[in-house]
């Protein structure tokens, strides 16, 4: 069973937390989440699921940023959510999809007990400009049938930043080799 918007509102402060919460973003059966002002892009030509992949951070300027086809962009929500007793799920808004921008095609199912911001996977079919703060996706909630243990993982729980894939941990990869590239710092520290 899908929770209605009225039920989401009733559960706020109890089994559901959305912070910050704006009642104007509440829909009949979902709530719109907004995009933070940073993105991550991988710097590898071939992404390896067994090892950490290098990435760099991009800031979305006030005039927006143009996403390019054939690239994966990772963003995150401004909002932190916490969910107990039901299953949170996110999906792109249809208004965004109609621009050819696809949100979280492989990562829309959350877990009972998840707490944190949501990492958003984005790719587009043609160049599209996006903006920090835009309502990018919607969260909805399914009732859970039967008892379940709450999500308890050191991979993504309590996330406050964009999370690149950590699947390499399942395949024996080590955390220490994942690199965030800071090209500005590298350029400034290069001797002339």
């Amino acid at each position: 069973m899908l929770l209605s918007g009225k039920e989401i509102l009733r559960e706020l402060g109890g089994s559901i937390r959305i912070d910050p919460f704006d009642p104007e973003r509440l829909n009949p059966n979902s709530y719109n989440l907004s995009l933070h002002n940073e993105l991550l892009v991988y710097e590898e030509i071939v992404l390896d699921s067994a090892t950490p992949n290098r990435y760099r951070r991009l800031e979305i300027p006030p005039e927006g940023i143009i996403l390019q086809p054939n690239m994966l962009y990772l963003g995150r929500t401004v909002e932190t959510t916490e969910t107990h007793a039901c299953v949170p799920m996110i999906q792109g808004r249809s208004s965004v999809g109609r621009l050819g921008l696809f949100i979280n095609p492989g990562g829309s199912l959350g877990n009972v007990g998840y707490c944190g911001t949501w990492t958003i996977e984005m790719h587009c079919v043609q160049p599209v400009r996006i903006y920090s703060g835009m309502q990018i996706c919607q969260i909805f909630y399914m009732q859970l049938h039967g008892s379940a243990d709450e999500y308890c993982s050191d991979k993504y729980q309590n996330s406050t930043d964009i999370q690149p894939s950590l699947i390499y941990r399942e395949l024996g990869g080590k955390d220490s080799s994942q690199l965030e590239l800071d090209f500005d710092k590298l350029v400034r520290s290069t001797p002339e």
Side-chain angles (χ1 to χ4, degrees):
M1 301 283 282
L2 185 66
L3 268 60
S4 70
K6 290 179 181 178
E7 190 62 22
I8 292 170
L9 194 57
R10 259 194 296 278
E11 292 296 326
L12 279 179
S15 65
I16 294 174
R17 179 171 67 99
I18 302 171
D19 184 32
F21 179 81
D22 177 354
E24 295 294 316
R25 295 184 179 193
L26 186 64
N27 301 312
N29 51 283
S30 66
Y31 180 84
N32 290 347
L33 300 175
S34 55
L35 181 65
H36 194 264
N37 70 344
E38 291 183 324
L39 302 174
L40 294 185
V41 291
Y42 288 110
E43 288 296 318
E44 307 287 353
I45 294 171
V46 175
L47 297 176
D48 186 345
S49 59
T51 61
N53 294 282
R54 293 176 302 162
Y55 61 87
R56 67 185 165 106
R57 196 173 294 265
L58 305 172
E59 187 170 340
I60 302 173
E63 64 273 12
I65 191 170
I66 299 174
L67 304 186
Q68 298 297 323
N70 301 316
M71 293 224 15
L72 173 65
Y73 297 88
L74 299 178
R76 77 165 176 91
T77 60
V78 168
E79 297 81 7
T80 297
T81 71
E82 185 173 352
T83 308
H84 304 280
C86 54
V87 179
M89 301 177 75
I90 64 170
Q91 70 176 33
R93 297 180 61 222
S94 62
S95 295
V96 172
R98 292 172 198 198
L99 294 173
L101 177 58
F102 298 100
I103 308 295
N104 280 52
S108 62
L109 178 64
N111 286 297
V112 174
Y114 175 73
C115 177
T117 58
W118 290 78
T119 292
I120 302 168
E121 307 149 13
M122 298 180 280
H123 74 276
C124 56
V125 297
Q126 69 185 65
V128 61
R129 186 182 303 269
I130 63 168
Y131 300 88
S132 172
M134 69 185 285
Q135 295 177 48
I136 194 82
C137 62
Q138 52 195 333
I139 189 168
F140 58 101
Y141 301 90
M142 300 290 290
Q143 286 184 335
L144 186 64
H145 181 71
S147 64
D149 294 329
E150 290 204 342
Y151 180 71
C152 181
S153 169
D154 63 349
K155 280 199 326 189
Y156 304 119
Q157 182 72 312
N158 297 310
S159 172
T160 58
D161 197 4
I162 303 166
Q163 295 294 311
S165 177
L166 301 177
I167 195 170
Y168 63 85
R169 291 181 180 176
E170 299 169 23
L171 300 170
K174 304 283 188 235
D175 282 337
S176 62
S177 59
Q178 184 143 15
L179 297 173
E180 180 174 347
L181 299 178
D182 185 346
F183 288 112
D184 292 336
K185 184 177 178 183
L186 290 171
V187 169
R188 286 192 303 271
S189 66
T190 304
E192 294 182 23

